Amino acid sequence: MSENLMNGLTLLFIGMGFVLCFLCILIGAMYVMSAIVKYLNKIFPEKIEIVEKKSSSKSSSADDEAVAVALAAIMSKR
């Protein structure tokens, strides 16, 4: 093999090795940060707001009417 090919392969393996090491360190750091956030969520939980569902019988009939008008307009164009 030529010297240029060997230098290229060496550079390839060194570069990929650095990327692999960086990604492994990144995964480890994300795991540690996830554990820290889970621990902090146990200490300082967020308040959960309860939203009451309103009856929307009038708006659903208006929506049905709008859909019917749109379908009628589409069918009249065909």
XYZ file of all heavy atoms in Angstrom:
589
model
N 0.842 -1.176 0.000
C 0.000 0.000 0.000
C 0.887 1.240 0.000
O 1.975 1.243 0.558
C -0.901 0.025 1.225
C -2.032 -0.926 1.194
S -3.145 -0.537 2.551
C -4.189 -1.931 2.471
N 0.354 2.266 -0.559
C 1.152 3.479 -0.627
C 1.100 4.225 0.711
O 0.232 3.984 1.547
C 0.663 4.380 -1.750
O -0.607 4.892 -1.427
N 2.013 5.127 0.868
C 2.100 5.883 2.127
C 0.894 6.814 2.302
O 0.408 6.997 3.415
C 3.396 6.694 2.133
C 3.668 7.363 3.459
C 4.996 8.093 3.461
O 5.879 7.755 2.655
O 5.120 9.009 4.282
N 0.403 7.375 1.199
C -0.758 8.267 1.278
C -2.004 7.519 1.737
O -2.812 8.040 2.505
C -1.025 8.929 -0.070
C -0.030 10.017 -0.398
O 0.597 10.573 0.503
N 0.117 10.317 -1.678
N -2.170 6.276 1.253
C -3.324 5.482 1.664
C -3.249 5.156 3.150
O -4.245 5.227 3.872
C -3.417 4.205 0.828
C -4.620 3.305 1.112
C -5.916 4.060 0.842
C -4.540 2.053 0.283
N -2.074 4.813 3.627
C -1.902 4.508 5.055
C -2.171 5.756 5.912
O -2.806 5.651 6.971
C -0.498 3.973 5.316
C -0.266 2.577 4.750
S -1.454 1.361 5.359
C -0.968 1.267 7.060
N -1.689 6.908 5.458
C -1.952 8.146 6.196
C -3.456 8.458 6.210
O -3.998 8.901 7.227
C -1.183 9.315 5.588
C 0.297 9.256 5.887
O 0.720 8.601 6.834
N 1.091 9.944 5.060
N -4.128 8.218 5.095
C -5.569 8.447 5.016
C -6.342 7.537 5.948
O -7.269 7.972 6.638
N -5.972 6.255 5.979
C -6.654 5.310 6.867
C -6.387 5.643 8.332
O -7.286 5.541 9.178
C -6.229 3.883 6.552
C -6.742 3.319 5.226
C -6.148 1.936 4.967
C -8.264 3.255 5.226
N -5.164 6.054 8.638
C -4.836 6.444 10.007
C -5.674 7.645 10.432
O -6.257 7.671 11.528
C -3.338 6.782 10.128
O -2.568 5.664 9.711
C -2.980 7.155 11.551
N -5.769 8.630 9.558
C -6.570 9.816 9.846
C -8.047 9.446 9.987
O -8.754 9.968 10.856
C -6.380 10.851 8.737
C -7.055 12.201 8.931
C -6.508 12.899 10.157
C -6.850 13.064 7.702
N -8.520 8.508 9.173
C -9.908 8.052 9.243
C -10.188 7.422 10.599
O -11.181 7.760 11.253
C -10.181 7.042 8.124
C -11.537 6.345 8.190
C -12.525 7.089 7.306
C -11.400 4.913 7.731
N -9.327 6.517 11.049
C -9.562 5.825 12.315
C -9.413 6.765 13.508
O -10.176 6.677 14.474
C -8.630 4.627 12.457
C -9.013 3.483 11.560
C -8.121 2.991 10.628
C -10.267 2.910 11.625
C -8.470 1.946 9.788
C -10.636 1.868 10.799
C -9.722 1.381 9.871
N -8.493 7.693 13.449
C -8.352 8.659 14.542
C -9.582 9.561 14.607
O -10.133 9.806 15.693
C -7.056 9.485 14.367
C -5.835 8.598 14.621
C -7.045 10.682 15.305
C -4.516 9.270 14.301
N -10.045 10.036 13.469
C -11.222 10.900 13.444
C -12.470 10.187 13.921
O -13.235 10.725 14.731
N -12.672 8.969 13.449
C -13.846 8.215 13.886
C -13.746 7.841 15.351
O -14.759 7.761 16.057
C -14.035 6.983 13.002
C -14.452 7.344 11.584
S -14.770 5.917 10.568
C -16.414 5.525 11.089
N -12.525 7.610 15.829
C -12.330 7.313 17.249
C -12.702 8.491 18.126
O -13.350 8.332 19.169
N -12.299 9.704 17.702
C -12.672 10.897 18.463
C -14.183 11.095 18.474
O -14.765 11.428 19.515
C -11.993 12.144 17.891
C -10.605 12.361 18.402
C -9.528 12.331 17.540
C -10.371 12.605 19.748
C -8.248 12.532 18.002
C -9.097 12.813 20.221
C -8.024 12.775 19.352
N -14.826 10.888 17.347
C -16.284 11.043 17.279
C -16.964 10.014 18.172
O -17.909 10.340 18.908
C -16.779 10.927 15.821
C -18.291 10.837 15.758
C -16.289 12.110 15.002
N -16.501 8.778 18.150
C -17.084 7.743 18.992
C -16.911 8.074 20.469
O -17.855 7.944 21.259
C -16.456 6.384 18.671
C -16.994 5.199 19.473
C -18.461 4.959 19.132
C -16.170 3.958 19.203
N -15.726 8.530 20.850
C -15.488 8.907 22.250
C -16.381 10.072 22.658
O -16.963 10.068 23.748
C -14.023 9.268 22.463
S -12.925 7.859 22.395
N -16.505 11.065 21.778
C -17.363 12.217 22.081
C -18.811 11.786 22.270
O -19.486 12.228 23.209
C -17.264 13.266 20.968
C -18.214 14.405 21.141
C -17.970 15.398 22.070
C -19.374 14.478 20.379
C -18.852 16.446 22.247
C -20.257 15.520 20.540
C -20.007 16.509 21.477
N -19.313 10.912 21.398
C -20.696 10.466 21.512
C -20.915 9.651 22.782
O -21.962 9.772 23.429
C -21.109 9.673 20.276
C -21.247 10.503 18.993
C -21.566 9.591 17.819
C -22.311 11.560 19.141
N -19.936 8.825 23.154
C -20.062 8.059 24.403
C -20.091 8.993 25.608
O -20.887 8.799 26.534
C -18.926 7.056 24.520
S -19.063 5.693 23.353
N -19.239 10.010 25.606
C -19.238 10.983 26.698
C -20.562 11.746 26.724
O -21.134 11.999 27.792
C -18.041 11.944 26.564
C -16.740 11.180 26.815
C -18.164 13.136 27.503
C -15.489 11.960 26.457
N -21.090 12.091 25.557
C -22.358 12.804 25.467
C -23.504 11.958 26.012
O -24.360 12.456 26.756
C -22.630 13.200 24.019
C -23.867 14.033 23.748
C -23.734 15.412 24.369
C -24.080 14.174 22.249
N -23.528 10.688 25.680
C -24.580 9.792 26.178
C -24.484 9.669 27.692
O -25.497 9.715 28.405
C -24.489 8.417 25.495
C -24.927 8.533 24.039
C -25.349 7.383 26.220
C -24.644 7.289 23.215
N -23.267 9.532 28.213
C -23.086 9.451 29.666
C -23.529 10.727 30.358
O -24.195 10.678 31.409
N -23.193 11.882 29.792
C -23.593 13.152 30.389
C -25.110 13.309 30.369
O -25.707 13.799 31.345
C -22.937 14.310 29.648
N -25.756 12.882 29.299
C -27.209 12.970 29.230
C -27.862 12.052 30.262
O -28.881 12.400 30.869
C -27.694 12.624 27.825
C -27.380 13.692 26.801
S -27.786 13.246 25.113
C -29.526 12.946 25.222
N -27.295 10.877 30.482
C -27.821 9.949 31.475
C -27.705 10.555 32.873
O -28.653 10.483 33.670
C -27.076 8.619 31.390
C -27.533 7.607 32.410
C -28.734 6.921 32.237
C -26.787 7.334 33.543
C -29.161 5.997 33.164
C -27.206 6.422 34.483
C -28.394 5.757 34.290
O -28.825 4.852 35.217
N -26.553 11.158 33.171
C -26.345 11.772 34.482
C -27.307 12.945 34.675
O -27.921 13.084 35.749
C -24.874 12.220 34.651
C -24.694 13.086 35.873
C -23.964 11.008 34.716
N -27.463 13.790 33.657
C -28.375 14.925 33.770
C -29.827 14.456 33.931
O -30.601 15.069 34.672
C -28.262 15.822 32.542
C -26.976 16.607 32.487
S -26.739 17.697 33.886
C -28.077 18.833 33.671
N -30.200 13.370 33.272
C -31.545 12.828 33.420
C -31.773 12.370 34.859
O -32.841 12.613 35.433
C -31.750 11.671 32.454
O -32.980 11.045 32.681
N -30.779 11.731 35.450
C -30.901 11.275 36.832
C -31.009 12.468 37.780
O -31.802 12.446 38.737
C -29.703 10.408 37.201
N -30.255 13.526 37.513
C -30.310 14.713 38.360
C -31.682 15.375 38.269
O -32.270 15.774 39.279
C -29.189 15.706 37.964
C -27.831 15.137 38.365
C -29.406 17.068 38.612
C -26.653 15.926 37.830
N -32.233 15.472 37.061
C -33.544 16.097 36.879
C -34.634 15.267 37.546
O -35.547 15.810 38.181
C -33.838 16.318 35.376
C -35.284 16.696 35.143
C -32.914 17.380 34.821
N -34.560 13.939 37.444
C -35.548 13.091 38.115
C -35.493 13.287 39.625
O -36.522 13.349 40.301
C -35.309 11.618 37.770
C -35.762 11.237 36.393
C -35.483 9.767 36.123
C -35.818 9.404 34.704
N -35.499 7.998 34.391
N -34.286 13.396 40.166
C -34.129 13.614 41.607
C -34.695 14.973 42.012
O -35.397 15.090 43.013
C -32.648 13.508 41.992
C -32.384 13.795 43.443
C -32.757 12.881 44.429
C -31.784 14.980 43.832
C -32.533 13.145 45.766
C -31.546 15.257 45.166
C -31.922 14.333 46.134
O -31.689 14.606 47.448
N -34.406 16.007 41.220
C -34.914 17.344 41.535
C -36.429 17.422 41.393
O -37.080 18.184 42.118
C -34.235 18.394 40.648
C -32.767 18.659 40.963
C -32.185 19.638 39.956
C -32.599 19.177 42.376
N -37.010 16.650 40.462
C -38.470 16.630 40.324
C -39.140 15.988 41.530
O -40.276 16.311 41.859
C -38.892 15.909 39.046
C -38.807 16.804 37.837
O -38.839 18.009 37.949
N -38.690 16.199 36.676
N -38.445 15.072 42.189
C -39.004 14.487 43.418
C -38.974 15.508 44.551
O -39.877 15.553 45.377
C -38.219 13.241 43.816
C -38.468 12.060 42.929
C -37.679 10.860 43.388
C -37.869 9.689 42.443
N -37.066 8.525 42.821
N -37.935 16.337 44.591
C -37.814 17.328 45.652
C -38.755 18.509 45.405
O -39.436 18.986 46.308
C -36.353 17.824 45.760
C -35.443 16.673 46.190
C -36.242 18.969 46.752
C -33.973 17.030 46.170
N -38.782 19.017 44.164
C -39.598 20.178 43.806
C -40.606 19.801 42.720
O -40.398 20.104 41.546
C -38.712 21.319 43.278
C -37.587 21.705 44.188
C -36.276 21.429 43.849
C -37.844 22.348 45.378
C -35.235 21.783 44.680
C -36.812 22.709 46.224
C -35.504 22.430 45.875
N -41.713 19.138 43.082
C -42.682 18.747 42.039
C -43.432 19.968 41.505
O -43.621 20.970 42.192
C -43.630 17.815 42.777
C -43.533 18.228 44.203
C -42.127 18.724 44.401
N -43.844 19.875 40.257
C -44.614 20.944 39.632
C -46.082 20.803 40.000
O -46.590 19.699 40.174
C -44.474 20.885 38.113
C -43.091 21.166 37.618
C -43.013 21.147 36.107
O -44.071 21.188 35.453
O -41.898 21.091 35.596
N -46.755 21.941 40.104
C -48.192 21.910 40.379
C -48.930 21.539 39.097
O -48.606 22.015 38.026
C -48.671 23.273 40.859
C -48.143 23.649 42.218
C -48.698 24.988 42.659
C -48.151 25.354 44.021
N -48.635 26.677 44.458
N -49.948 20.705 39.243
C -50.746 20.277 38.100
C -52.091 20.989 38.171
O -52.808 20.879 39.169
C -50.946 18.749 38.102
C -49.594 18.056 38.022
C -51.861 18.333 36.963
C -49.681 16.560 38.161
N -52.402 21.731 37.123
C -53.666 22.433 37.081
C -54.743 21.515 36.506
O -54.542 20.869 35.490
C -53.549 23.683 36.214
C -52.588 24.706 36.760
C -52.506 25.932 35.877
O -53.394 26.117 35.026
O -51.542 26.675 36.044
N -55.893 21.507 37.158
C -57.011 20.692 36.690
C -57.932 21.589 35.874
O -58.432 22.597 36.370
C -57.768 20.061 37.873
C -56.820 19.152 38.667
C -58.988 19.305 37.369
C -57.428 18.594 39.920
N -58.121 21.231 34.614
C -58.962 22.009 33.718
C -60.294 21.292 33.571
O -60.343 20.113 33.219
C -58.287 22.175 32.337
C -59.183 22.961 31.401
C -56.933 22.825 32.502
N -61.368 22.019 33.867
C -62.690 21.426 33.751
C -63.154 21.508 32.299
O -62.972 22.522 31.636
C -63.683 22.165 34.645
C -63.374 22.010 36.115
C -64.387 22.729 36.984
O -65.469 23.087 36.478
O -64.081 22.932 38.156
N -63.745 20.434 31.839
C -64.222 20.387 30.468
C -65.612 21.012 30.404
O -66.507 20.650 31.163
C -64.277 18.939 29.985
C -64.605 18.805 28.537
C -64.506 17.363 28.091
C -64.808 17.258 26.619
N -64.760 15.865 26.174
N -65.763 21.977 29.511
C -67.044 22.648 29.344
C -67.858 21.916 28.286
O -67.320 21.368 27.337
C -66.842 24.099 28.911
C -66.097 24.927 29.927
C -65.882 26.335 29.421
C -65.086 27.150 30.405
N -64.804 28.497 29.913
N -69.161 21.937 28.458
C -70.007 21.304 27.448
C -70.059 22.195 26.222
O -70.279 23.397 26.313
C -71.416 21.066 28.000
O -72.011 22.299 28.317
N -69.859 21.600 25.076
C -69.811 22.378 23.839
C -70.795 21.809 22.817
O -70.448 21.539 21.689
C -68.393 22.380 23.273
O -67.989 21.054 23.017
N -72.020 21.628 23.264
C -73.020 21.084 22.345
C -73.383 22.090 21.258
O -73.650 21.716 20.129
C -74.274 20.661 23.118
O -74.840 21.791 23.771
N -73.391 23.377 21.592
C -73.721 24.393 20.594
C -72.611 24.523 19.553
O -72.882 24.663 18.378
C -73.969 25.738 21.263
C -75.199 25.767 22.122
C -75.414 27.132 22.736
C -76.664 27.135 23.595
N -76.894 28.430 24.232
N -71.359 24.476 19.990
C -70.259 24.639 19.044
C -70.104 23.413 18.146
O -69.716 23.542 16.994
C -68.944 24.913 19.775
O -68.572 23.791 20.547
N -70.434 22.223 18.664
C -70.332 21.039 17.813
C -71.380 21.059 16.711
O -71.120 20.629 15.597
C -70.440 19.762 18.647
O -71.738 19.660 19.200
N -72.567 21.572 17.014
C -73.582 21.651 15.964
C -73.203 22.707 14.933
O -73.462 22.538 13.746
C -74.956 21.957 16.564
O -74.947 23.246 17.169
N -72.561 23.791 15.371
C -72.099 24.801 14.438
C -70.980 24.236 13.569
O -70.902 24.533 12.373
C -71.616 26.039 15.190
N -70.102 23.422 14.169
C -69.047 22.784 13.398
C -69.625 21.813 12.379
O -69.158 21.749 11.240
C -68.077 22.039 14.326
C -67.240 22.993 15.170
O -67.139 24.177 14.801
O -66.705 22.531 16.193
N -70.630 21.056 12.778
C -71.269 20.121 11.848
C -71.901 20.872 10.685
O -71.831 20.430 9.532
C -72.326 19.289 12.571
C -71.720 18.312 13.573
O -70.507 18.027 13.451
O -72.469 17.846 14.460
N -72.501 21.998 10.989
C -73.129 22.791 9.939
C -72.076 23.348 8.975
O -72.276 23.340 7.753
C -73.920 23.942 10.553
C -74.695 24.769 9.553
C -75.499 25.872 10.228
O -75.797 25.750 11.428
O -75.809 26.849 9.519
N -70.924 23.784 9.508
C -69.858 24.317 8.662
C -69.288 23.219 7.771
O -68.989 23.450 6.589
C -68.756 24.926 9.524
N -69.170 22.022 8.291
C -68.667 20.899 7.496
C -69.663 20.560 6.392
O -69.279 20.304 5.248
C -68.400 19.674 8.401
C -68.123 18.437 7.577
C -67.234 19.957 9.340
N -70.928 20.590 6.723
C -71.957 20.292 5.723
C -71.955 21.322 4.602
O -72.069 20.991 3.417
C -73.320 20.230 6.386
N -71.771 22.591 4.956
C -71.712 23.660 3.935
C -70.488 23.473 3.063
O -70.555 23.602 1.829
C -71.716 25.050 4.626
C -71.385 26.145 3.627
C -73.052 25.318 5.290
N -69.345 23.137 3.668
C -68.122 22.932 2.891
C -68.274 21.747 1.947
O -67.860 21.810 0.768
C -66.944 22.726 3.825
N -68.851 20.664 2.408
C -69.058 19.491 1.553
C -70.036 19.806 0.418
O -69.830 19.357 -0.725
C -69.570 18.318 2.363
C -68.542 17.647 3.286
C -69.208 16.579 4.146
C -67.433 17.036 2.462
N -71.072 20.575 0.706
C -72.010 20.943 -0.343
C -71.329 21.810 -1.391
O -71.577 21.639 -2.595
C -73.202 21.680 0.266
N -70.455 22.698 -0.981
C -69.743 23.554 -1.934
C -68.799 22.716 -2.797
O -68.689 22.934 -4.015
C -68.948 24.625 -1.188
N -68.156 21.754 -2.209
C -67.243 20.889 -2.979
C -68.026 20.045 -3.978
O -67.626 19.899 -5.140
C -66.426 19.995 -2.020
C -65.442 20.842 -1.218
C -65.688 18.907 -2.786
C -64.743 20.100 -0.103
N -69.139 19.494 -3.525
C -69.933 18.651 -4.418
C -70.554 19.452 -5.555
O -70.749 18.932 -6.659
C -71.033 17.945 -3.622
C -70.482 16.957 -2.588
S -69.415 15.709 -3.295
C -70.627 14.629 -3.991
N -70.876 20.723 -5.323
C -71.470 21.527 -6.383
C -70.452 21.890 -7.447
O -70.804 22.124 -8.598
C -72.103 22.799 -5.807
O -71.079 23.663 -5.321
N -69.184 21.937 -7.115
C -68.135 22.252 -8.081
C -67.801 21.058 -8.978
O -67.280 21.227 -10.051
C -66.861 22.708 -7.363
C -67.008 24.024 -6.628
C -67.181 25.162 -7.585
C -67.296 26.461 -6.815
N -67.485 27.598 -7.669
N -68.123 19.875 -8.540
C -67.826 18.674 -9.337
C -68.893 18.463 -10.305
O -69.341 18.284 -11.163
C -67.699 17.433 -8.448
C -66.480 17.489 -7.587
C -66.340 16.240 -6.799
N -65.112 16.313 -5.977
C -64.712 15.359 -5.213
N -65.375 14.235 -5.117
N -63.628 15.489 -4.495
